Amino acid sequence: MSAGDTLRAMSSSRDLIEALKRELKLAGLTYADAAQHLGMAESSVKRMFASQGDLPLSRIDELLALLKMDFADLARRVADAQPARQMLSEAQEQAVVADPKLLLMASCCLSQWSFEQILATYRYEEAEAVRMLAQLDRLGVIELRPLNRYRLLVAKTFRWRPDGPVMRFFRQHVVQDYFDGDFAGESERLLLVHGQIGEAQIAAFNERLERVAQDFAQQHVADQRLSAAQRRPYTLLVAMRSWWFPAFEVLRRSPTPPDLPRRTIRA
């Protein structure tokens, strides 16, 4: 993503001012130092930084010179400070799922595959793969960087929309194929556990399931240092749902009515 693209994506130019203030602080520079460099009164510099985005580009260039940074560096700092996406919009997901190759590229990026790994594993021409990365950049999934490197713009807790285009695609085309396996391999597991637990414990169980998913993702990243012969592809599917199997539901007794108040009988 170019510096201009990044700046257009900011919630406001206030983000730029805040980034400059952070960089001055990290460099150990005061408003007095900035004022001396700009040839301005310190009070004027304070007002400039306190304004709602009224910072001339010429002053930004001068401050960047003081910080020994270029505009692209500052744009990256601004992007890094933006909150990571927890979820894409319906329209963004629709754009991803409309092209199977783009969906595959998104899955690879979410798994933090390198550009070289993607080309070595899947049938992409290099120019086509770059085009896919550029599309994901425009959709806000990644920030594309030089040499086809990228930075994820989504949070560790990112999830596809529960009933969005991507999950509908996977339910229609992937789930059946996944569960058609017998899960009999030495390192494969299929666990089905049903029970009734208190509502107060649900959040704790979901947090533990989230941690298992994150541990799996982190191990995937860590094991990229291993050779291809030492790694095997796995897919971890984690789910929890309040649900009765319909074939069992029809066999349930009616819920027990609440206890009726006892009546005292007097002789």
Side-chain angles (χ1 to χ4, degrees):
M1 182 184 290
S2 68
D5 290 336
T6 302
L7 292 176
R8 282 190 292 273
M10 294 179 205
S11 58
S12 74
S13 55
R14 186 68 189 171
D15 297 326
L16 180 60
I17 295 176
E18 290 301 320
L20 282 169
K21 288 165 67 173
R22 285 193 300 271
E23 293 304 316
L24 286 170
K25 186 175 181 179
L26 287 172
L29 297 170
T30 65
Y31 284 146
D33 296 322
Q36 183 178 3
H37 180 78
L38 296 173
M40 298 172 62
E42 183 177 351
S43 58
S44 297
V45 171
K46 287 182 178 179
R47 282 196 301 273
M48 184 172 65
F49 275 102
S51 67
Q52 297 299 312
D54 186 17
L55 186 61
L57 285 174
S58 59
R59 294 302 188 189
I60 294 175
D61 289 338
E62 291 178 87
L63 288 168
L64 289 173
L66 174 63
L67 291 164
K68 297 181 173 59
M69 296 174 60
D70 61 26
F71 203 80
D73 290 330
L74 183 64
R76 281 192 290 272
R77 300 289 199 282
V78 173
D80 289 344
Q82 301 304 304
R85 292 174 179 271
Q86 299 288 338
M87 198 175 289
L88 299 183
S89 70
E90 182 90 8
Q92 288 169 320
E93 283 201 9
Q94 187 59 56
V96 170
V97 83
D99 183 346
K101 282 195 169 184
L102 185 60
L103 178 60
L104 172 60
M105 183 63 75
S107 297
C108 289
C109 289
L110 291 173
S111 297
Q112 299 186 54
W113 284 36
S114 71
F115 186 73
E116 291 75 17
Q117 282 179 300
I118 296 169
L119 289 183
T121 306
Y122 295 109
R123 295 177 182 175
Y124 288 107
E125 296 297 330
E126 183 171 345
E128 179 184 37
V130 172
R131 187 171 69 253
M132 296 292 168
L133 290 177
Q135 284 183 257
L136 293 177
D137 179 297
R138 288 192 292 273
L139 290 169
V141 178
I142 64 169
E143 176 194 352
L144 184 56
R145 293 180 167 177
L147 302 178
N148 300 318
R149 300 296 182 255
Y150 62 87
R151 182 178 74 91
L152 280 175
L153 297 181
V154 298
K156 289 183 179 179
T157 53
F158 172 82
R159 60 186 298 207
W160 298 112
R161 304 180 74 83
D163 193 36
V166 173
M167 289 307 296
R168 290 198 294 268
F169 175 88
F170 276 97
R171 280 194 289 270
Q172 182 178 354
H173 300 287
V174 178
V175 171
Q176 185 61 51
D177 186 72
Y178 182 83
F179 284 110
D180 274 346
D182 55 18
F183 294 84
E186 182 180 347
S187 55
E188 297 180 346
R189 294 289 184 277
L190 176 61
L191 305 176
L192 177 61
V193 183
H194 175 71
Q196 298 187 43
I197 61 177
E199 290 187 6
Q201 301 302 317
I202 299 300
F205 272 100
N206 278 325
E207 286 177 8
R208 281 148 67 182
L209 292 175
E210 289 277 0
R211 287 200 297 273
V212 169
Q214 290 178 18
D215 288 346
F216 182 87
Q218 290 167 3
Q219 192 64 52
H220 158 78
V221 174
D223 284 356
Q224 297 312 298
R225 66 182 185 277
L226 302 176
S227 68
Q230 294 175 293
R231 291 179 281 124
R232 293 180 60 191
Y234 285 92
T235 295
L236 175 68
L237 180 63
V238 179
M240 188 172 187
R241 180 186 173 198
S242 179
W243 172 75
W244 286 97
F245 179 42
F248 296 167
E249 170 73 9
V250 298
L251 301 177
R252 290 181 64 207
R253 296 183 186 278
S254 299
T256 305
D259 292 338
L260 297 176
R262 295 182 179 181
R263 300 171 63 184
T264 301
I265 302 177
R266 297 182 181 181

